[in-house]
Amino acid sequence: MGLVRLFSFVLHPPLIGVELWKGLRVLEPILHIDANGSRRLYNLRGVIYFSCDHFTARVVNCNGMVWFHDGLFTGKRLVYESSNMSSIPTGDSILVIYIRDDSHVT
């Protein structure tokens, strides 16, 4: 049984952050958000993780390439991981970031 939380939007924000619950198994690559009579797509652009008092992140660029960041080990650099968003791990994830796709307005 999954938990669902419904939100209502008056305007389409440029960025949406969604707090995650333990036990999440799949990340949605695209969200469809309705507001004020129109629908916008939001693309997954980041996942933030927390484990052992330490944050790490994965960043997804507009081409779907997944990059890993851990400031302790990679410094300022991102490390390329994959071109497959379904390979993004969900364990220890605490927040996902979606960015509005302004090229698709319906």
Side-chain angles (χ1 to χ4, degrees):
M1 177 177 168
L3 296 174
V4 174
R5 180 179 276 179
L6 298 176
F7 293 93
S8 295
F9 291 95
V10 176
L11 299 173
H12 289 100
L15 175 136
I16 295 176
V18 180
E19 181 183 8
L20 300 177
W21 294 73
K22 291 287 184 190
L24 178 75
R25 299 287 183 247
V26 177
L27 296 173
E28 294 294 331
I30 297 173
L31 297 180
H32 301 269
I33 305 291
D34 295 322
N36 204 21
S38 66
R39 174 174 278 193
R40 293 277 181 98
L41 300 180
Y42 284 78
N43 297 305
L44 177 66
R45 289 293 180 249
V47 182
I48 299 175
Y49 304 86
F50 183 75
S51 179
C52 301
D53 296 325
H54 180 69
F55 290 97
T56 58
R58 284 185 170 78
V59 176
V60 180
N61 72 8
C62 61
N63 296 320
M65 295 173 24
V66 180
W67 299 79
F68 177 73
H69 182 262
D70 180 340
L72 290 177
F73 298 104
T74 63
K76 296 179 183 178
R77 297 182 320 148
L78 297 172
V79 176
Y80 174 75
E81 281 192 331
S82 170
S83 61
N84 182 359
M85 280 196 285
S86 65
S87 71
I88 297 174
T90 57
D92 296 325
S93 58
I94 61 166
L95 183 76
V96 290
I97 309 259
Y98 289 89
I99 302 292
R100 183 179 64 210
D101 182 350
D102 289 330
S103 67
H104 290 92
V105 179
T106 58

